[in-house]
Amino acid sequence: MNFVSTSGRTPPTPFRDALLAGLAPDGGLFIPEHIPRVPAAFIGALPEQTLQSIGVEIAAAFIDDIPRTALAHILADAWTFDVPLVRLTDTIFLLELFHGPTLAFKDIGARFLARTLSHYLGETGRDITIAVATSGDTGSAVAHGFLDVPHVVVYVLYPSGKVSPLQEQQMATLGRNIHALEVEGTFDDCQRMVKRALGDGEVASARRLTTANSISLGRLVPQIAYYFWAVAQWRRTSPPPADTDAPVVVVPSGNFGNLTAGVYADAMGLRLASLIAATNANDAGAEYIRTGRFAPRNAVQTYANAMDVGNPSNLARLRAHFGDNLPRLQQRIAASSVSDSATIDEIRLTYEQCGTVIDPHTAVGVAVARAQHGKAPVVVTATAHPAKFPEVIERALGRPVPLPPELRDAEGRAKQSTIIPADYAAFKRILLTSSRP
Ligand SMILES: *Cc1c(COP(=O)(O)O)cnc(C)c1O
């Protein structure tokens, strides 16, 4: 399997080279040349599969230069936690993707990416630097995923004062091969600085640089697997939730990486009933899906802050997938947006009706699922643990959520970040002068 670019000016590239490059050389995002189909027998036997065995099947369909046994090792090492499907109401299920070390779904992709890169670096003996811009969850998942991975140095750029204290604790206290850069600006400034570094020839001649943002294929490919795993568990539920083959899936969305993985799973043969993108007030992507009009704008801050994205990068992949044909896209994907006050109401309602505390991102998804009248079963991808957002939960429920051990560990560690201005020259100086990995 080779990969081409959404911008159309990159020759077919093997997975390994696409992964090491991050962004395609023409500035586009790497996409598979075609979407591989999984065998019908595999779909039929889903209820007998495990998340790991599904992961190997999916990864092998895209990655042909890592043997299946090595992929199985990578996955066993990366996915050391459960991804349960939990029934919330008669028709709404949660796929809990947040039981990894940083308690958000990004662990699933970031941990696979780290180990896959490490596999390739081990083959070549070359070193690499990862630069990643984050509004919170990506940075902590990437920092934890790469901690102590040999031959890798990570720079995490995050906007000063704009990530939650817990998120900062998780990414700025690790030290070792993880450098936290606290940027006096916004998330968009951080993203701009990383993109500029990736295209800077002077930096490229000093060190091999790539990124780990949701544009990375190394995060996208493993995320496809949990859609199959959701259906596997859904079919095992007893009594079966409905006599349909597959549920509707609602995906709380920011950069649309999670949704793109669902669309790929669907096209590989999973045949979901449909997919729905759920966004907060940052609805440029949702508006595109509803109307075909795309107007990127500056992000506004909401309670679901990991979805505060004004210009979702993976929209380019979705458009390419459907050949820029809006009616075809709309046959498979719908979109809906949820305000901050409706998010708070949903956290409260879900707690009162079901006794379950959900985080603000998941609440955006559940609110959209609830608005689907009719009896079709809905799976919401639950993207974060509520304890990561104690202020929002307290506002909704008037009481705190107990901290899980992962967060308690982070609380005791001292911050080790470097403050820099929102100025590319400052970042470049660090990349050119600090010691190489
Ligand atoms: C990143 C994130 C999202 C958005 O995922 P995308 O793939 O960027 O659409 C949703 N919820 C949480 C908790 C996240 O960390």
Side-chain angles (χ1 to χ4, degrees):
M1 163 79 61
N2 279 321
F3 295 81
V4 292
S5 162
T6 51
S7 295
R9 294 182 307 276
T10 294
T13 305
F15 183 82
R16 179 180 169 286
D17 298 342
L19 189 73
L20 291 170
L23 206 61
D26 63 10
L29 273 60
F30 279 112
I31 46 174
E33 250 183 330
H34 64 90
I35 301 292
R37 305 275 306 185
V38 293
F42 173 76
I43 303 283
L46 271 182
E48 289 91 67
Q49 302 278 346
T50 63
L51 175 61
Q52 306 277 338
S53 67
I54 292 170
V56 172
E57 185 76 22
I58 301 304
F62 289 93
I63 307 170
D64 35 35
D65 63 355
I66 304 182
R68 272 175 176 263
T69 49
L71 286 173
H73 274 118
I74 287 173
L75 286 168
D77 197 37
W79 294 347
T80 49
F81 45 88
D82 287 340
V83 180
L85 186 74
V86 174
R87 190 168 207 149
L88 194 63
T89 70
D90 269 1
T91 53
I92 301 177
F93 295 74
L94 297 181
L95 181 68
E96 293 188 351
L97 299 168
F98 55 72
H99 295 291
T102 72
L103 303 176
F105 89 101
K106 291 186 175 72
D107 283 327
I108 294 174
R111 291 172 67 82
F112 178 86
L113 165 65
R115 282 151 187 80
T116 307
L117 267 179
S118 183
H119 172 92
Y120 287 131
L121 293 168
E123 278 179 346
T124 62
R126 296 186 65 176
D127 297 343
I128 203 160
T129 300
I130 311 277
V132 62
T134 183
S135 54
D137 284 343
T138 295
S140 44
V142 168
H144 276 263
F146 283 85
L147 183 65
D148 289 333
V149 171
H151 305 301
V152 183
V153 163
V154 177
Y155 288 93
V156 179
L157 284 74
Y158 67 95
S160 182
K162 295 194 181 64
V163 301
S164 82
L166 278 169
Q167 288 172 328
E168 185 169 30
Q169 277 292 322
Q170 284 190 312
M171 64 190 160
T173 61
L174 294 169
R176 307 217 275 264
N177 62 327
I178 312 296
H179 302 279
L181 300 179
E182 183 175 347
V183 176
E184 296 170 317
T186 62
F187 168 68
D188 292 312
D189 291 324
C190 298
Q191 186 138 351
R192 187 175 41 76
M193 289 158 76
V194 168
K195 278 203 176 138
R196 203 147 153 213
L198 287 170
D200 187 330
E202 227 181 309
V203 171
S205 60
R207 53 166 81 220
R208 195 181 171 102
L209 185 71
T210 188
T211 184
N213 277 82
S214 69
I215 58 170
S216 171
L217 284 175
R219 287 179 49 186
L220 185 59
V221 166
Q223 288 181 182
I224 298 169
Y226 56 68
Y227 288 90
F228 287 87
W229 176 234
V231 172
Q233 294 182 84
W234 184 76
R235 290 212 193 128
R236 267 189 230 156
T237 319
S238 144
D243 53 356
T244 52
D245 276 348
V248 173
V249 179
V250 174
V251 186
S253 293
N255 250 325
F256 285 69
N258 196 359
L259 183 78
T260 302
V263 167
Y264 284 2
D266 183 56
M268 288 177 82
L270 189 59
R271 300 286 314 152
L272 299 167
S274 68
L275 291 123
I276 306 178
T279 65
N280 58 29
N282 298 285
D283 63 348
E287 184 180 271
Y288 170 75
I289 290 168
R290 282 195 303 261
T291 67
R293 198 175 45 232
F294 182 52
R297 34 199 178 247
N298 288 334
V300 298
Q301 218 166 340
T302 74
Y303 292 140
N305 70 355
M307 295 167 15
D308 293 347
V309 181
N311 185 2
S313 43
N314 280 289
L315 215 56
R317 284 194 168 115
L318 287 178
R319 296 173 81 150
H321 179 75
F322 292 102
D324 239 331
N325 180 328
L326 189 68
R328 268 186 60 207
L329 178 146
Q330 288 171 333
Q331 265 172 23
R332 303 305 301 140
I333 315 175
S336 195
S337 302
V338 175
S339 69
D340 261 357
S341 66
T343 304
I344 292 283
D345 289 347
E346 186 56 62
I347 294 172
R348 196 178 300 128
L349 183 65
T350 295
Y351 183 68
E352 282 165 4
Q353 283 190 349
C354 320
T356 306
V357 182
I358 53 175
D359 93 286
H361 306 78
T362 303
V364 166
V366 174
V368 169
R370 221 183 265 283
Q372 303 305 301
H373 305 292
K375 289 275 161 270
V378 182
V379 170
V380 178
T381 63
T383 51
H385 191 292
K388 288 195 92 168
F389 306 93
E391 300 84 4
V392 187
I393 301 300
E394 274 209 64
R395 175 180 290 258
L397 303 182
R399 62 153 87 179
V401 210
L403 278 194
E406 291 85 342
L407 291 182
R408 254 181 276 133
D409 288 352
E411 267 198 323
R413 295 193 298 255
K415 188 161 126 178
Q416 311 186 28
S417 55
T418 307
I419 299 181
I420 64 168
D423 171 13
Y424 175 62
F427 181 41
K428 179 167 178 171
R429 203 167 320 118
I430 289 173
L431 289 175
L432 293 182
T433 57
S434 66
S435 64
R436 279 198 265 152

